[in-house]
């Protein structure tokens, strides 16, 4: 029997992002890859019924600093204490080394073995919020093992918490659904046209670098851009779009099956991230579907994609225009990138991630 895990993702149900998709892939559903009691926060306002295997915690008072954060952690702890029987749980999976869910779960079940999973946003917020930096240090000390998807994440963690025991750190890459590798949506053969159809898919927070792309776009004549992102974040870009005189095609915030189908209607996925990516799951999903990836070579992406994608500089319009033109005009390059991308994505099946996490948990029990 595989261990039963208790795990909390400190985000409202329905939130966008790769961490949410990975969480639900691993822990949620009628037959999850990792048997668990999995929790997210109850969103404000109306929402869809959560899927089988996902439970919702009260999320009122969620914050990052000060006395309010401590009250929020205490509220989550109390809710988890009421929901969980310690005898029915074998292991804790701490999603993120920061935020409220991790200290709450540690306090609710203080005697269970703990695996911490570093996602990336925890490191970014620990750099800018004192209380989150403190939580990160406490969680790193409390964890029996710390899982990072790339070496870049381990390096960033050790800069933030240099006293972390290196022996605790395990590198287990995140994965994408196996069926996407074996049976991707159909895609027509690439035929060069006058324009490259670019796709950006993901959140539009500052570290994602979309503003650099939009500022360069007016200087690139042979490209058109589609965006799949949360509606409120797209609306926030409206002033910049007006100033730049840019038209983009907004696709909405697409669920993954719809996003996978949208990959077939585009020529290149663009990833202009400015700082670090935990791994870039959307890039791997695009590669599995035969969509080449053009990316900023930041830590995490460089490790996950390497030569299977095209590294460029989104902050330099001339360099970006040159690389896009090369994609559009170089005979055989598109097909070569498709083949390289599919081979790269095949290295990261989700079942391998689940098996490695399960095996690590068995070692700790």
């Amino acid at each position: 029997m595989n261990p039963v895990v208790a795990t909390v993702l400190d985000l409202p149900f329905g939130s966008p992002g790769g961490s949410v998709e990975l969480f639900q892939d691993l822990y949620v559903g009628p037959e999850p890859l990792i048997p668990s009691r999995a929790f997210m926060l109850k969103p404000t306002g109306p929402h869809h019924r959560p899927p089988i295997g996902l439970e919702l915690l009260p999320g009122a008072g969620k914050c990052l600093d000060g006395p309010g954060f401590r009250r929020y952690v205490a509220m989550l702890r109390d809710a988890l204490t009421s929901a969980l029987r310690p005898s029915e749980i074998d292991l804790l999976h701490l999603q993120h080394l920061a935020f409220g869910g991790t200290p709450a779960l540690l306090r609710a079940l203080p005697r269970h073995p703990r695996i911490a999973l570093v996602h990336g946003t925890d490191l970014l917020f620990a750099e800018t919020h004192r209380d989150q930096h403190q939580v990160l240090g406490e969680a790193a000390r409390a964890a029996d093992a710390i899982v990072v998807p790339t070496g870049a994440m381990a390096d960033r963690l050790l800069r933030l918490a240099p006293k972390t025991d290196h022996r605790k750190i395990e590198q287990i890459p995140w994965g994408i659904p196996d069926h996407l590798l074996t049976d991707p949506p159909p895609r027509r053969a690439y035929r060069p046209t006058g324009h490259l159809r670019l796709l950006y898919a993901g959140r539009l927070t500052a570290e994602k670098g979309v503003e650099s792309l939009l500022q360069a776009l007016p200087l690139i004549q042979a490209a058109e851009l589609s965006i799949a992102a949360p509606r409120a974040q797209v609306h926030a870009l409206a002033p910049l779009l007006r100033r730049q005189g840019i038209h983009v095609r907004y696709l909405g915030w697409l669920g993954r099956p719809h996003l996978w189908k949208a990959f077939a209607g585009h020529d290149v996925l663009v990833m202009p991230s400015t700082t670090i990516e935990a791994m870039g799951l959307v890039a791997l999903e695009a590669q599995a579907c035969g969509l080449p990836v053009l990316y900023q070579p930041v830590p995490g992406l460089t490790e996950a994609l390497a030569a299977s994608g095209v590294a460029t500089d989104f902050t330099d319009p001339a360099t970006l225009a040159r690389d896009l033109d090369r994609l559009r005009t170089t005979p055989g390059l598109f097909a070569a990138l498709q083949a390289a991308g599919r081979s790269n994505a095949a290295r990261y099946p989700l079942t391998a991630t689940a098996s490695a996490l399960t095996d690590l948990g068995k070692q700790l029990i």
Side-chain angles (χ1 to χ4, degrees), residues 130-143:
R130 184 184 63 182
D131 285 358
Q132 298 309 310
H133 187 272
Q134 181 178 348
V135 171
L136 180 140
E138 292 172 354
R141 290 189 295 273

Side-chain angles (χ1 to χ4, degrees), residues 252-308:
W253 177 248
L254 300 178
R256 285 161 91 204
H258 292 97
L259 178 61
W260 298 336
K261 290 179 181 178
F263 288 155
H266 295 85
D267 302 316
V268 182
L269 180 79
V270 290
M271 293 200 69
S273 302
T274 61
T275 53
I276 190 170
E277 286 279 350
M279 191 157 177
L281 287 176
V282 69
L284 299 176
E285 292 178 359
Q287 289 184 324
C289 295
L291 183 64
V293 178
L294 187 73
Y295 70 98
Q296 188 78 22
V298 297
L301 281 183
T302 301
E303 193 170 336
L305 299 177
S308 70

Side-chain angles (χ1 to χ4, degrees), residues 107-179:
R107 288 162 174 73
L109 295 174
R111 295 180 177 84
H112 287 65
R114 307 92 178 257
I115 296 175
L117 289 80
V118 182
H119 290 266
T121 48
D122 40 358
L123 305 186
L124 294 174
F125 275 80
E127 289 178 345
T128 55
H129 293 79
R130 184 184 63 182
D131 285 358
Q132 298 309 310
H133 187 272
Q134 181 178 348
V135 171
L136 180 140
E138 292 172 354
R141 290 189 295 273
D144 299 295
I146 301 172
V147 171
V148 295
T150 56
M153 298 291 282
D155 294 342
R156 190 77 166 243
L157 168 61
L158 290 171
R159 287 202 296 273
L160 279 166
K163 295 183 180 180
T164 300
D165 186 347
H166 293 55
R167 295 170 296 180
K168 291 183 179 181
I169 299 176
E170 300 277 347
Q171 185 170 331
I172 297 177
W174 301 156
I176 60 176
D178 291 39
H179 67 82

Side-chain angles (χ1 to χ4, degrees), residues 26 36 46 48 105 118 132-134 163 172 208 242 247 271 277 297 300 317 323 328 336 338 340 349 351 358-359:
L26 289 172
S36 66
H48 297 295
L105 191 55
V118 182
Q132 298 309 310
H133 187 272
Q134 181 178 348
K163 295 183 180 180
I172 297 177
K208 297 298 182 180
R242 286 195 296 269
H247 171 73
M271 293 200 69
E277 286 279 350
D323 288 334
R328 189 172 56 86
Q338 281 187 311
T351 50
T358 297
D359 290 344

